[in-house]
Amino acid sequence: MPTLHWIGKEKVVNHHQDVPYRVLEHQYGFDAEQGERTEPTESGNKIIHGDNLEALKSLLPGYEGKIKCIYIDPPYNTGEEGWAYNDNVNHPKIKKWLGEVVGKEGDDLSRHDKWLCMMYPRLQLLFKLLSDDGVIFISIDDYESHHLISIANEIFGIKNKIATVVWDLGTGTQAGHFVRSHEYVLVYCKNKNLVPNFKGGAGEIKHSALKKISKKNPKSDFTFPKGTRFDADSGTKLDGSWGGSEKTFLKHGEMISEDGELPDKVTLEAGWAMKSQMKEWFYGNKNETYDTKGQKLLEFYFNSSGVLTYRKEKSVINPPTVIRKLANTKSGSKELEGIIGENNFDFPKPHELIKYLIKLVTSKNDIVLDSFAGTGTTGQAVQQLNKEDGGNRNFILVEMEDYADSVTSERVKRVIKGYHFNGKVKKALKSYKINITNLKNANDLVDFYEEKRTNGEYNEVNIESDGEKINIVGVKKVSGKVNGIGGSFDFYQLGQPLFDENKLLNEDVEESRIREYVWYSETKTAFPKERAEDAHKHLLGTKDETDYYFFYEKEIITTLNHEFLATIKQKSDQYVIYADNCLLSKEFLQSRNIIFKKIPRDISRF
Ligand SMILES: C[S@@+](CC[C@H](N)C(=O)[O-])C[C@H]1O[C@@H](n2cnc3c(N)ncnc32)[C@H](O)[C@@H]1O
């Protein structure tokens, strides 16, 4: 496979292994009832303020291989520096990081080299966090899409590329020779064999509910209740029998259309194709009627010729690779402005887009991660989707800028608790094509404008033009309250590194976090939350018939000796015991299946 090379690549390909492990420090919890509070909500929803390289590393012990859906919208590297979003790699924090990792050479890197150096180790950590059947969506545009595809092919494997999706923005901005009116969403996974085809998009099947009458499909009676939809013009009456080879016969009552409905019940005879579903839909539970393939029946009705017809949901539709008419960047900006009252951000994503993507791949209890969270749109999308389908998905958001609290978290808080909004609604009042006739009659336009401007109906009346037409637009100010959709989350800061500059355990870090780290470094599994009440104080847990002990106390030098062994009551096939020293002989350790590991020397880094 062709691979991409750039200056600095060799310094970053394995860099994710050297990233210091920092603990996450809880700052506050938030829930719909109490608002902000000091105790953790333990809801599983997290917003983390910090560089995602370190944050992703901190997430490994709890989440390696557990994230079902990752959505990221990294800086597009447009070269813009004046944005509220940190859109380029000349940001001081990233510059400092590049200086440390790539060294002096970093000064000479082009914008694209830097961007690749920034993305590569982050994508590697995201790969580790993704579950075997998980999917990652990456928003990008033309500035870096070709580079991104190359490194994603390298990290995820070219065979695990699912698609390059085009998001049609509907409108666009001038970009060189074209008006740029699309973006991309790259879709990759960890193992394509484990990712079922996506179902999505709206779809419906409409078909006659009759079959040809035969021995195999004999005719039978069915009584249709009053009010059944009948699409013929009012007053249309059918008698005897109608239809071609799939005939319908009138048995009792009158087959009449009155305002598009049967005015009374009527019994018909035919070779019905879906009789059990008809019974369920007309006389049982309308909302729970399915065909033999599990597709939901939406309606039975008579078409204008009196043929019984059904509409059902087409449940297996593979979504198209072009996403059309699903909000755009302008609606993302409006949405944010409506929620937090202002928008200084260029092009936040609309939550509808992210919700659509998440819905393609997640079930109700999955975890969704966004490590370039910006204004927190992904948090909103997860909550909205949970509300719609009764799900319990969790979100984890990471944002490096200080607005992680004032914007990212604030948006999620408001969506949870509800908010007052002040907005404007625009209405096109009149449109004049720019041509000689209309220009000659410009007085009409001015009169109309003056009348609308002064009659008090609108707060503002504006004259706008798109180059072809002059539009008179009325603007009304609106305000109201949007109800909260409930939920909760915890806000974290990236805290202390676990090891200090002398590679010793950092004494300021809570012991419980060190234990979590050591357990994960040994077993690559999340630290067990539950432990037996009478469990040994230093037991981390048991995995594969091995008991792991971490004999560490900040104030004293710990020693693995007979005295310590005497405190262990639980029998196991093998023991791994960490301590500062060991006074037991190699032979003795071997005879008892004990592996001694020295603190901190033998704590492996990941
Ligand atoms: C294009 S914006 C994301 C917009 C987001 N999808 C939304 O709808 O608001 C990219 C975000 O990633 C953040 N970012 C860039 N580099 C980062 C890093 N190393 N760690 C964490 N966040 C980072 C930027 O500060 C910015 O807010």
Side-chain angles (χ1 to χ4, degrees):
M1 183 183 77
T3 49
L4 183 70
H5 287 277
W6 66 90
I7 305 171
K9 180 175 183 179
E10 70 284 5
K11 299 275 174 42
V12 295
V13 277
N14 290 318
H15 176 67
H16 61 287
Q17 285 158 1
D18 305 328
V19 176
Y21 178 88
R22 287 178 186 274
V23 290
L24 295 178
E25 278 172 9
H26 186 259
Q27 304 296 301
Y28 60 82
F30 185 91
D31 69 29
E33 290 76 41
Q34 292 180 49
E36 201 170 305
R37 58 191 225 191
T38 38
E39 324 78 66
T41 68
E42 307 289 0
S43 59
N45 294 323
K46 293 186 163 81
I47 300 181
I48 303 166
H49 178 208
D51 187 329
N52 52 22
L53 191 64
E54 291 175 328
L56 294 176
K57 184 98 181 202
S58 312
L59 289 171
L60 281 178
Y63 295 96
E64 176 159 358
K66 291 206 170 142
I67 308 282
K68 184 65 172 291
C69 173
I70 298 174
Y71 170 79
I72 54 168
D73 180 14
Y76 286 6
N77 202 16
T78 57
E80 296 278 345
E81 305 214 17
W83 290 25
Y85 277 136
N86 153 26
D87 181 60
N88 70 27
V89 278
N90 282 328
H91 187 280
K93 285 185 190 165
I94 295 293
K95 257 180 137 172
K96 180 170 174 279
W97 175 79
L98 277 170
E100 284 161 10
V101 176
V102 183
K104 258 280 150 246
E105 222 181 307
D107 294 346
D108 302 328
L109 302 188
S110 77
R111 197 171 102 215
H112 300 289
D113 296 317
K114 288 181 195 167
W115 190 86
L116 284 161
C117 285
M118 186 277 285
M119 285 303 287
Y120 200 93
R122 287 165 174 84
L123 282 178
Q124 272 175 320
L125 289 173
L126 289 170
F127 177 81
K128 277 174 174 279
L129 288 162
L130 198 62
S131 64
D132 289 344
D133 58 351
V135 174
I136 177 167
F137 298 103
I138 313 176
S139 277
I140 199 72
D141 74 0
D142 273 330
Y143 285 98
E144 295 294 352
S145 57
H146 47 307
H147 294 143
L148 181 60
I149 290 174
S150 296
I151 58 171
N153 284 345
E154 228 175 89
I155 294 168
F156 291 87
I158 198 161
K159 63 181 188 311
N160 291 320
K161 179 173 182 194
I162 294 180
T164 300
V165 169
V166 172
W167 176 35
D168 178 352
L169 302 174
T171 61
T173 44
Q174 188 68 41
H177 300 70
F178 286 95
V179 168
R180 194 182 64 95
S181 59
H182 73 280
E183 289 189 3
Y184 304 108
V185 181
L186 303 190
V187 190
Y188 281 80
C189 61
K190 214 166 182 175
N191 182 349
K192 208 148 124 188
N193 296 329
L194 301 180
V195 178
N197 277 1
F198 299 152
K199 293 175 187 175
E204 227 179 83
I205 304 170
K206 205 191 282 180
H207 204 271
S208 150
L210 300 177
K211 272 190 182 168
K212 211 170 174 181
I213 299 162
S214 65
K215 264 198 187 148
K216 248 175 117 185
N217 188 49
K219 59 185 178 180
S220 64
D221 286 359
F222 192 87
T223 302
F224 295 87
K226 171 182 170 181
T228 301
R229 178 176 149 194
F230 181 9
D231 277 356
D233 292 340
S234 251
T236 304
K237 187 171 172 198
L238 301 176
D239 271 320
S241 68
W242 56 91
S245 54
E246 294 160 358
K247 269 202 173 7
T248 305
F249 302 86
L250 179 64
K251 296 293 293 243
H252 304 292
E254 288 188 315
M255 184 68 181
I256 295 184
S257 170
E258 224 176 78
D259 295 332
E261 292 181 352
L262 294 178
D264 209 345
K265 65 178 180 182
V266 64
T267 304
L268 305 175
E269 190 180 55
W272 310 112
M274 304 181 90
K275 197 153 178 194
S276 63
Q277 284 84 1
M278 285 156 57
K279 279 187 195 155
E280 186 61 28
W281 198 81
F282 283 107
Y283 298 106
N285 187 351
K286 258 195 171 70
N287 291 324
E288 295 297 328
T289 309
Y290 296 90
D291 72 1
T292 47
K293 289 190 200 153
Q295 301 180 115
K296 189 169 182 178
L297 264 302
L298 300 172
E299 191 179 15
F300 284 102
Y301 68 99
F302 293 103
N303 72 11
S304 56
S305 314
V307 174
L308 186 70
T309 307
Y310 65 77
R311 288 194 306 116
K312 66 181 177 184
E313 262 177 14
K314 193 171 178 189
S315 62
V316 185
I317 293 183
N318 299 130
T321 50
V322 179
I323 302 176
R324 289 200 175 86
K325 297 190 177 138
L326 189 85
N328 54 39
T329 42
K330 277 192 189 147
S331 53
S333 300
K334 265 197 183 164
E335 187 173 273
L336 178 65
E337 195 177 327
I339 299 171
I340 64 169
E342 55 174 21
N343 173 28
N344 299 319
F345 296 86
D346 291 277
F347 314 127
K349 293 291 179 289
H351 89 274
E352 287 292 346
L353 171 74
I354 303 177
K355 189 177 77 182
Y356 171 81
L357 299 172
I358 296 171
K359 198 173 168 183
L360 295 178
V361 300
T362 58
S363 316
K364 292 184 179 173
N365 290 311
D366 286 331
I367 307 172
V368 179
L369 167 67
D370 180 349
S371 54
F372 291 91
T375 64
T377 317
T378 301
Q380 179 180 356
V382 170
Q383 286 166 292
Q384 300 273 9
L385 182 56
N386 281 344
K387 191 183 173 208
E388 280 169 30
D389 68 3
N392 196 23
R393 295 168 189 83
N394 277 140
F395 59 81
I396 301 176
L397 311 181
V398 184
E399 173 53 52
M400 143 168 121
E401 292 289 340
D402 290 344
Y403 55 70
D405 188 26
S406 59
V407 178
T408 321
S409 169
E410 186 60 30
R411 175 187 196 147
V412 178
K413 284 178 185 172
R414 289 183 185 219
V415 170
I416 287 177
K417 214 169 159 49
Y419 54 92
H420 286 278
F421 69 92
N422 290 311
K424 289 178 176 177
V425 175
K426 280 185 169 187
K427 188 173 177 196
L429 302 175
K430 215 161 202 174
S431 195
Y432 296 86
K433 222 171 175 208
I434 303 176
N435 56 28
I436 290 292
T437 322
N438 280 337
L439 288 177
K440 277 186 185 159
N441 296 325
N443 278 348
D444 293 352
L445 183 154
V446 175
D447 290 349
F448 181 81
Y449 166 72
E450 280 302 332
E451 199 271 317
K452 291 290 174 195
R453 199 175 64 82
T454 51
N455 70 8
E457 204 180 329
Y458 294 94
N459 299 95
E460 284 168 38
V461 177
N462 300 327
I463 298 180
E464 298 175 354
S465 175
D466 57 10
E468 289 181 4
K469 284 181 252 129
I470 292 172
N471 305 309
I472 299 182
V473 179
V475 180
K476 273 190 187 170
K477 287 186 182 158
V478 288
S479 61
K481 169 142 174 65
V482 174
N483 290 330
I485 59 179
S488 51
F489 72 93
D490 289 294
F491 187 85
Y492 298 86
Q493 290 282 3
L494 267 180
Q496 301 270 350
L498 200 87
F499 296 97
D500 63 21
E501 56 279 10
N502 300 320
K503 302 204 161 93
L504 298 175
L505 282 174
N506 181 346
E507 301 216 330
D508 292 338
V509 169
E510 260 178 68
E511 233 176 82
S512 60
R513 314 315 291 272
I514 302 175
R515 290 160 63 84
E516 239 174 70
Y517 180 95
V518 174
W519 169 262
Y520 175 79
S521 70
E522 283 287 350
T523 64
K524 289 287 178 296
T525 61
F527 190 59
K529 281 199 174 138
E530 311 287 330
R531 53 186 276 126
E533 260 179 32
D534 57 349
H536 189 288
K537 185 176 164 206
H538 298 290
L539 176 71
L540 296 176
T542 304
K543 181 150 193 292
D544 302 333
E545 279 82 47
T546 302
D547 281 0
Y548 293 86
Y549 288 86
F550 188 63
F551 185 20
Y552 170 75
E553 293 192 7
K554 279 183 190 167
E555 310 302 331
I556 57 165
I557 306 257
T558 59
T559 304
L560 171 56
N561 52 19
H562 289 291
E563 205 181 314
F564 179 75
L565 281 189
T567 64
I568 295 180
K569 304 284 178 244
Q570 184 172 298
K571 292 264 167 281
S572 189
D573 287 1
Q574 187 172 248
Y575 307 84
V576 172
I577 304 178
Y578 282 83
D580 293 320
N581 286 316
C582 177
L583 289 183
L584 303 174
S585 69
K586 266 191 188 161
E587 294 70 33
F588 178 82
L589 291 173
Q590 253 174 13
S591 69
R592 301 294 160 98
N593 284 336
I594 298 172
I595 300 170
F596 164 67
K597 296 206 172 179
K598 191 169 169 55
I599 299 172
R601 186 195 65 198
D602 295 332
I603 302 177
S604 53
R605 315 294 157 97
F606 53 81

